[in-house]
């Protein structure tokens, strides 16, 4: 009753109409907010005020919202497809299984020990995505590629490649 549900991302109109109908049927009319597109710059603020995040992404693109959720220490429910990004900082579930999602939400809201465990795992996992570390990793990739290209060029100039 004291919380709102914020839905983000692309959704078909028929699903939004059904969500609206159901939210009124269960007395949550006005408690569900739909934001079709949230600019990346606004994700940290949205996540910082969240009790939890349910990431329904199936791994088609990099799940920035997951990283922002973990950096904000908002306990996370996610799919197996992005478990490599979430590390141990998420409850992994099948998002087609409504009962599993409900159980996961209940766990985050009512099991303080599990909630704290997830938050600590998120804190540790989010360090993998610190800007300086990412920049250094990218720099190393470029250095490795350039080194390899230079080696090939030297070998080629000597007729050995």
């Amino acid at each position: 009753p004291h919380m709102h549900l914020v839905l983000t991302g692309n959704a078909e109109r028929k699903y939004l109409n059904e969500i609206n109908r159901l939210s009124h049927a269960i007395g949550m009319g006005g408690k569900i907010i739909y934001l079709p597109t949230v600019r990346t710059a606004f994700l940290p603020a949205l996540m910082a005020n969240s009790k939890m995040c349910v990431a329904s992404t199936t791994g088609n693109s990099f799940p920035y919202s997951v990283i922002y959720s973990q950096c904000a220490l908002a306990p996370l429910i996610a799919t197996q497809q992005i478990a490599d990004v979430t590390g141990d900082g998420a409850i992994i579930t099948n998002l087609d299984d409504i009962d599993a999602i409900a159980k996961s939400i209940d766990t985050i809201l009512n099991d303080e020990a599990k909630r704290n465990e997830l938050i600590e795992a998120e804190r540790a996992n989010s360090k993998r995505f610190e800007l300086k570390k990412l920049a250094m990793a990218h720099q190393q990739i470029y250095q490795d590629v350039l080194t390899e290209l230079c080696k090939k060029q030297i070998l080629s100039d000597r007729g050995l490649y």
Side-chain angles (χ1 to χ4, degrees):
H2 61 283
M3 288 187 260
H4 287 81
L5 174 63
V6 179
L7 302 172
T8 64
N10 297 325
E12 293 181 34
R13 174 61 48 200
K14 67 180 179 180
Y15 296 125
L16 295 176
N17 290 338
E18 184 66 4
I19 289 168
N20 189 43
R21 184 188 71 71
L22 289 172
S23 69
H24 282 85
I26 63 171
M28 286 193 62
K31 295 273 188 183
I32 298 179
I33 302 164
Y34 175 61
L35 304 172
T37 304
V38 177
R39 290 183 26 206
T40 304
F42 296 127
L43 282 173
L46 181 64
M47 297 302 177
N49 292 301
S50 297
K51 236 359 187 174
M52 80 180 75
C53 177
V54 178
S56 62
T57 186
T58 56
N60 294 333
S61 61
F62 190 80
Y64 289 101
S65 59
V66 167
I67 303 307
Y68 288 119
S69 174
Q70 289 195 318
C71 289
L73 305 179
L76 182 62
I77 299 167
T79 60
Q80 183 63 45
Q81 290 92 329
I82 58 172
D84 58 327
V85 175
T86 67
D88 293 332
I91 295 176
I92 303 298
T93 190
N94 177 351
L95 293 181
D96 293 328
D97 185 344
I98 300 301
D99 291 331
I101 296 169
K103 184 176 184 252
S104 299
I105 291 171
D106 184 64
T107 297
I108 288 173
L109 293 177
N110 297 307
D111 184 341
E112 190 172 344
K114 180 64 175 178
R115 180 179 175 81
N116 289 336
E117 176 188 318
L118 286 169
I119 288 170
E120 287 308 311
E122 285 181 318
R123 182 176 281 119
N125 189 57
S126 65
K127 290 179 181 172
R128 294 189 310 147
F129 300 98
E130 290 175 347
L131 187 55
K132 187 174 182 178
K133 281 185 180 179
L134 291 174
M136 289 175 68
H138 278 89
Q139 180 181 0
Q140 187 61 50
I141 290 169
Y142 289 127
Q143 260 184 309
D144 293 347
V145 168
L146 287 173
T147 300
E148 198 59 35
L149 289 172
C150 288
K151 283 180 190 176
K152 287 180 181 178
Q153 184 62 49
I154 291 168
L155 291 173
S156 178
D157 289 349
R158 294 180 182 167
L160 301 172
Y161 184 79

